[in-house]
Amino acid sequence: MSEGTLDVEQAELALVEHYERLVRLAYCVLGDSPRRAHAVTRRALPRRCTSTAALPRPQPRPGEAQDEDPAYVWLRLRVLRAALAGPRGGAPARAAYALRHLERMADPDIRQLLRAARVKDPDAALEEAGTEVTAQPAPGIPDSQEPPDPEGGSGSAGPPDPGRAPDPQGTLVPERAPDAGRTPDAGCTPNPERTPHAERAPEPQATPCPLCKTHPPHPLDLVRRRRYWRAAGASVFAAVVCAGMLGVPGDTWGPDAAARPPLVRGTDQERALDPGALVRAGPGDWRRAARVDFAAWPARGALIRDESLLRRALVSWARPRADVRVGATPGTPQGPPPGPAQLLYAGRLDGSAVVLLYDGLRVARYSEPLDPDDGSAAAKDGVSLELARIAGAGTAASGALAVSRGQNEVRYLTAPWITHAAEVDLLDPADTAGRPLSRREDGVTEPVPLPVTLPRHCESWPGLALRGSPGAARDVQLYTDLGELTPARLTDGKGRAPATGTGARKRLAHTACHLPAVLDRGVKAVNSWQFARQRLPDGDGEAAWVCTRAGTWRGAGARAMTQFQPSAAAPGRPGAVTSRAEDTRACGPRAPEVLTGLLWKSTEGHWYVLAAADEGVTRLRARGSGLVGGPAEAAGNTLAVRAERDASARLSATRADGTRARTQR
């Protein structure tokens, strides 16, 4: 997309990427039928190239980079205008409320966007949206029946179970979603009976689809249908004149003809199955590319000219036979590519012919045994197709793909700009250089061991260290295999820098053995950051309080946890998990607020309730049973109070702006 211009294909990709987010916004503004929310969102796509120069773009918050996709911003405005069209009562207020709590926009940006959406009085809409909804517990999270705490709320901390990491004692204070059984307006409409800013706003459920009696088409199907009719309409005259040519032998002959879906000549659907139409980047294209990512990868491997193999891979992607094992990471559409895909790799590996394809949104790995009758592991595995979502991958996230995975090892295909690859042990902070990995001429590494994920068997955790050329990815990046086609990138700190520094490697060494909890969940990156450091009682040194977030390619489904990591613990020993949360913004750049605690025993045999919060907290409190000396309070963002062995404490905090936070029981 050129500067200030939005083309149709870019808008289609943005719709596929953000479809659920746009439907949720339309759903909250309309306040009635989820089916209408889907219809409004589907009609937002443009019919021709459109200017984006005058789009209302939110200003970045202090310390955050502006990363709003212009295509998404344009679609969001179209959805808002359509949802606000006509006399709909409180729709402007619902729109302001949704933009504030779903899009996390500041009031000046909301006011600007509402004006662009043709709302006559944005100030009145913002004022009416200033009331909060009644928060309801998220599924699986018990809600306290205790009345509100005038001191700022309550939470709990209890003793860890001997012999294992302690159970969560406190939570991350994440946003809370309404129950699935609520009415359509629940979670979207301001509640006039609540006072402003009484508590955090809940998020609507992940998608309105469960409320529909019939499921709407998938957004990727909608894009394919639009492209199909565009091409079909342009060729209808030729189809009438040359109807006899639609049955040429190339459509119905050949060993894989039965697997081919019916085609119309000249459409994107037909070209998507044509090996000759595959996009192939040149070996040096990445050096001249404006954006260095998977689209800049050249076609590599010994079989990139094997049209029969490539056709079988494309046909299996479009309509796999019953004997093809198909897998996809969570949230990945399984339909065929909307047009010709890009060829990344086709070659022989460990008894299999492997093909890697990329369509801008997903990467597909097709594998078939070279000899189906030789009794090898490849022959037993048979034919398989694996899909993974990788939309929006940048240079660092495009460093490698898992091209072959066995029972105990994995091979990676590295990006063309990678100049050095090594295997490191993530449980050993001193292992910075690692073991250099040899690579074939086509960029495939030697086998790398897979981590052992059995409980109590975490003695090492293999990581992949990649360094690129000065033109791309010059800094060393760390990755690890979490069961996906793309290895998860490991980062540290609020800025999500590579986890290669001394402190970052120490935090990672205490975190790696907790990674089995996020296997096979479509994880894009795992980020850890130290939100507090505390001097321990009885001269036991210091401890780090660390928040770890595993973010996914699809955005939803992220998992977060907090850990207590004493400095005296041996490297590689897992930190004590003090709280967990799922499908939350907690531990992320948009929600760095954290409050957690645990019951801890010193080397002197004394028990303490320890608590910590993020740097925005100025005062901590602990109340409950078993606290020596009764309720305790401390200035700052850490607290330590003597307690009995079976103590149960509730934690609360006051922030610099006067707001209060609490943990649940």
Side-chain angles (χ1 to χ4, degrees):
M1 181 176 66
S2 62
E3 183 69 20
T5 302
L6 173 67
D7 59 57
V8 176
E9 291 186 357
Q10 187 73 17
E12 289 172 343
L13 288 176
L15 180 74
V16 173
E17 173 69 10
H18 301 287
Y19 184 77
E20 292 184 1
R21 185 176 171 186
L22 290 167
V23 169
R24 183 167 55 176
L25 178 61
Y27 172 66
C28 288
V29 177
L30 291 168
D32 51 10
S33 167
R35 189 186 305 275
R36 294 190 68 245
H38 284 283
V40 165
T41 304
R42 294 197 299 270
R43 289 196 296 264
L45 283 172
R47 296 184 180 274
R48 59 185 65 87
C49 290
T50 306
S51 172
T52 62
L55 278 179
R57 302 289 298 276
Q59 295 297 316
R61 297 185 180 182
E64 291 187 15
Q66 176 62 272
D67 59 354
E68 284 271 31
D69 180 5
Y72 172 74
V73 173
W74 191 90
L75 289 171
R76 178 174 61 192
L77 178 59
R78 290 265 294 185
V79 168
L80 276 176
R81 284 178 176 173
L84 289 166
R88 301 200 59 81
R94 289 195 297 270
Y97 185 86
L99 293 173
R100 178 182 290 161
H101 295 291
L102 299 185
E103 297 292 304
R104 300 297 179 188
M105 293 175 65
D107 284 3
D109 297 325
I110 296 174
R111 190 176 293 109
Q112 180 187 20
L113 183 54
L114 289 179
R115 287 196 188 99
R118 305 182 182 127
V119 173
K120 294 182 179 179
D121 193 348
D123 292 323
L126 279 167
E127 182 178 359
E128 188 177 351
T131 55
E132 300 284 328
V133 300
T134 304
Q136 297 198 19
I141 301 180
D143 192 21
S144 174
Q145 301 299 317
E146 186 176 84
D149 179 10
E151 293 296 323
S154 64
S156 66
D161 187 6
R164 65 175 177 88
D167 290 331
Q169 306 291 340
T171 62
L172 298 175
V173 198
E175 284 84 12
R176 301 164 64 191
D179 292 334
R182 296 176 64 184
T183 60
D185 272 352
C188 300
T189 307
N191 183 351
E193 298 181 1
R194 303 283 299 180
T195 57
H197 310 297
E199 55 185 318
R200 300 181 66 89
E203 289 203 20
Q205 63 192 67
T207 172
C209 289
L211 300 178
C212 299
K213 294 182 179 179
T214 60
H215 294 287
H218 192 278
L220 196 58
D221 296 330
L222 298 172
V223 170
R224 290 199 306 272
R225 186 181 303 168
R226 276 171 54 96
R227 294 184 178 182
Y228 173 87
W229 284 113
R230 283 206 306 267
S235 60
V236 64
F237 177 76
V240 171
V241 174
C242 304
M245 299 185 64
L246 294 180
V248 295
D251 286 339
T252 55
W253 292 3
D256 54 0
R260 302 183 194 175
L263 304 177
V264 175
R265 278 229 177 260
T267 64
D268 287 340
Q269 184 187 31
E270 182 200 31
R271 296 183 67 231
L273 298 185
D274 181 7
L278 285 171
V279 178
R280 300 169 187 254
D285 284 3
W286 67 269
R287 300 180 186 274
R288 301 179 294 274
R291 179 181 172 88
V292 182
D293 56 13
F294 287 112
W297 280 34
R300 290 175 286 176
L303 302 178
I304 59 174
R305 301 298 174 189
D306 188 337
E307 291 201 359
S308 178
L309 169 66
L310 298 179
R311 183 179 293 277
R312 289 194 296 275
L314 291 169
V315 167
S316 294
W317 191 353
R319 193 172 70 182
R321 303 186 308 269
D323 62 333
V324 178
R325 292 185 297 106
V326 180
T329 58
T332 302
Q334 296 191 32
Q342 180 177 347
L343 177 60
L344 303 182
Y345 178 85
R348 302 178 184 90
L349 283 172
D350 304 323
S352 296
V354 178
V355 179
L356 289 177
L357 300 165
Y358 170 61
D359 71 348
L361 173 67
R362 302 160 297 170
V363 63
R365 177 186 178 273
Y366 172 81
S367 175
E368 64 177 34
L370 293 172
D371 185 350
D373 302 318
D374 65 359
S376 63
K380 294 177 181 177
D381 289 341
V383 183
S384 65
L385 177 72
E386 187 176 354
L387 298 169
R389 184 173 182 159
I390 56 172
T395 304
S398 306
L401 287 172
V403 68
S404 174
R405 179 181 285 109
Q407 186 174 1
N408 300 310
E409 60 189 24
V410 60
R411 290 179 185 265
Y412 295 103
L413 175 66
T414 57
W417 54 83
I418 297 299
T419 58
H420 178 76
E423 175 200 341
V424 297
D425 183 3
L426 300 182
L427 299 191
D428 182 4
D431 185 18
T432 56
R435 177 179 67 88
L437 294 173
S438 62
R439 292 183 293 162
R440 304 189 329 188
E441 186 178 353
D442 57 11
V444 176
T445 68
E446 63 177 290
V448 178
L450 288 171
V452 177
T453 59
L454 296 175
R456 302 183 184 277
H457 288 79
C458 187
E459 299 176 356
S460 67
W461 194 283
L464 179 67
L466 300 178
R467 184 176 67 243
S469 67
R474 134 180 274 167
D475 297 329
V476 175
Q477 301 281 347
L478 282 183
Y479 308 82
T480 191
D481 185 273
L482 293 179
E484 317 290 350
L485 280 176
T486 54
R489 183 172 171 238
L490 303 173
T491 59
D492 186 82
K494 292 184 179 179
R496 289 172 286 187
T500 52
T502 302
R505 286 298 304 271
K506 288 181 180 179
R507 287 186 282 274
L508 186 57
H510 293 304
T511 302
C513 288
H514 294 301
L515 293 179
V518 293
L519 286 171
D520 303 318
R521 296 185 61 85
V523 172
K524 176 181 181 180
V526 178
N527 184 73
S528 296
W529 59 282
Q530 178 182 296
F531 63 88
R533 193 160 188 87
Q534 182 175 25
R535 184 172 295 278
L536 298 175
D538 296 342
D540 280 353
E542 292 186 332
W545 293 86
V546 177
C547 198
T548 300
R549 176 183 175 86
T552 67
W553 285 99
R554 66 190 186 278
R559 287 192 171 188
M561 67 177 177
T562 56
Q563 294 178 70
F564 173 75
Q565 298 181 352
S567 57
R573 182 176 180 181
V577 177
T578 62
S579 59
R580 298 180 190 268
E582 185 173 356
D583 201 12
T584 174
R585 288 188 175 92
C587 281
R590 295 186 179 182
E593 298 85 5
V594 186
L595 173 59
T596 188
L598 84 166
L599 192 62
W600 172 80
K601 183 179 181 181
S602 72
T603 55
E604 298 291 331
H606 302 144
W607 289 90
Y608 292 86
V609 167
L610 303 181
D614 59 274
E615 296 175 350
V617 167
T618 58
R619 184 165 295 275
L620 284 175
R621 302 177 187 86
R623 297 187 305 136
S625 62
L627 298 179
V628 176
E633 185 172 329
N637 65 335
T638 61
L639 175 146
V641 56
R642 280 287 302 272
E644 298 175 0
R645 182 172 184 173
D646 57 351
S648 177
R650 291 168 295 174
L651 307 174
S652 61
T654 302
R655 301 191 175 278
D657 60 2
T659 60
R660 292 176 176 176
R662 65 179 180 178
T663 58
Q664 296 175 338
R665 282 184 178 276

